[in-house]
Amino acid sequence: MTDQQQTELRETVRARYAQAARTVTVGGVAEDCCGTDPIAVDQTFGTSLYDAADRDQLPIQATAASLGCGNPTAVAELRAGERVLDLGSGGGIDVLLSARRVGPTGKAYGLDMTEEMLALALANTVKAGIGNVEFLKGHIEAIPLPANTIDVVISNCVINLSVDKPAVFAEMVRVLTPGGRIGIADVVAEDELTPSQRAERGDYCGCIAGALSFTEYRNHLNAAGFVDIEINSTHLVAERMHSAIIKAVKPDETACCAPGCCSSPAATALS
């Protein structure tokens, strides 16, 4: 993919989700990742993947803007006092849920490239009355935070939209503290599907064409430096395409007494 193609694709994605934010802002409900695709009827994307107790504690605009393929806050095992970063935070549902889980001594950051989504997320934060939240504008391939400052990175069906996935994984490692971890929901293809076959099942903005295979995902995480990698399918979103939960840990060399070990508390929590 050329630089020009990457730029055009990123703009297409931005425009799609900006329109979703505008729809929610005026009282509508954003279409899920697959738009009007029949998959939407099966409730494989969006707010239906959250428990009613989680949905009910947030403004309706936060749940109406939910476009993900899972619930990363339910698997990230967040603890009081932790610093959490949500990549592609959209209307803020996962940031607000994370902020409640980490409590007043922790903090939840949301990163999004879309002005309209950031404005919606800020409005939802005010309505929810949650103070330990900060939203940042930027790209997930170049996270605007210092190194070694985040305990947990989450993301909900966004990495498949990136035009430079290795850069995203490298950035996650950079911002995580030693022993930090990730808990991600994303669309993942079965290994036998070629990129063209994935594109036949859905477009890039629809979270399908840009999906990595299970092996590709694992290899990218490994190349970035992650250990204790787990990739587990939760449900089908298209033929031989899965919503999956991805977990991994950044090694904590300071906690190791032998080469290659990673006996950090975060690694233990994910085992």
Side-chain angles (χ1 to χ4, degrees):
M1 188 182 299
T2 67
D3 289 346
Q4 180 63 27
Q5 289 172 323
Q6 288 186 351
T7 299
E8 292 174 355
L9 185 54
R10 177 181 279 169
E11 174 54 25
T12 299
V13 170
R14 188 208 63 77
R16 166 70 181 274
Y17 289 93
Q19 181 56 50
R22 288 192 289 269
T23 298
V24 171
T25 299
V26 297
V29 177
E31 290 181 345
D32 58 47
C33 273
C34 290
T36 56
D37 189 277
I39 249 176
V41 178
D42 297 328
Q43 296 185 320
T44 52
F45 288 88
T47 189
S48 63
L49 300 172
Y50 292 82
D51 291 338
D54 283 339
R55 297 195 303 266
D56 292 346
Q57 64 180 293
L58 297 177
I60 186 63
Q61 289 84 357
T63 57
S66 176
L67 300 165
C69 60
N71 180 358
T73 61
V75 298
E77 301 177 11
L78 301 179
R79 298 185 284 268
E82 290 188 315
R83 296 156 297 178
V84 185
L85 169 64
D86 180 21
L87 300 182
S89 48
I93 183 171
D94 292 317
V95 176
L96 298 179
L97 289 174
S98 296
R100 290 192 185 279
R101 284 179 166 83
V102 300
T105 61
K107 187 166 184 178
Y109 295 89
L111 174 63
D112 206 281
M113 68 175 179
T114 308
E115 290 277 5
E116 292 86 349
M117 278 294 186
L118 289 168
L120 178 61
L122 287 170
N124 287 332
T125 301
V126 172
K127 290 175 183 177
I130 299 175
N132 57 328
V133 166
E134 182 176 346
F135 288 96
L136 307 167
K137 183 181 180 183
H139 297 119
I140 62 175
E141 300 87 356
I143 300 170
L145 286 171
N148 304 312
T149 55
I150 297 296
D151 299 303
V152 188
V153 172
I154 63 173
S155 186
N156 195 350
C157 204
V158 171
I159 294 174
N160 62 73
L161 297 171
S162 172
V163 296
D164 188 354
K165 295 173 180 65
V168 178
F169 298 129
E171 279 291 273
M172 289 194 293
V173 169
R174 183 185 66 82
V175 299
L176 280 170
T177 58
R181 63 196 188 277
I182 64 172
I184 292 169
D186 212 356
V187 173
V188 184
E190 294 183 11
D191 288 340
E192 294 77 15
L193 290 184
T194 65
S196 61
Q197 288 172 326
R198 298 169 209 176
E200 291 171 358
R201 288 156 169 78
D203 64 16
Y204 209 99
C205 285
C207 308
I208 301 296
L212 296 170
S213 71
F214 283 90
T215 295
E216 289 167 346
Y217 222 114
R218 183 176 295 275
N219 288 344
H220 279 308
L221 288 169
N222 185 64
F226 282 104
V227 297
D228 297 342
I229 299 167
E230 300 177 16
I231 305 176
N232 296 304
S233 171
T234 58
H235 58 273
L236 280 172
V237 298
E239 182 187 1
R240 302 177 71 183
M241 305 281 292
H242 302 255
S243 173
I245 293 297
I246 299 100
K247 296 181 180 182
V249 177
K250 176 179 176 177
D252 184 357
E253 301 298 339
T254 64
C256 297
C257 55
C261 77
C262 185
S263 55
S264 67
T268 301
L270 284 174
S271 61

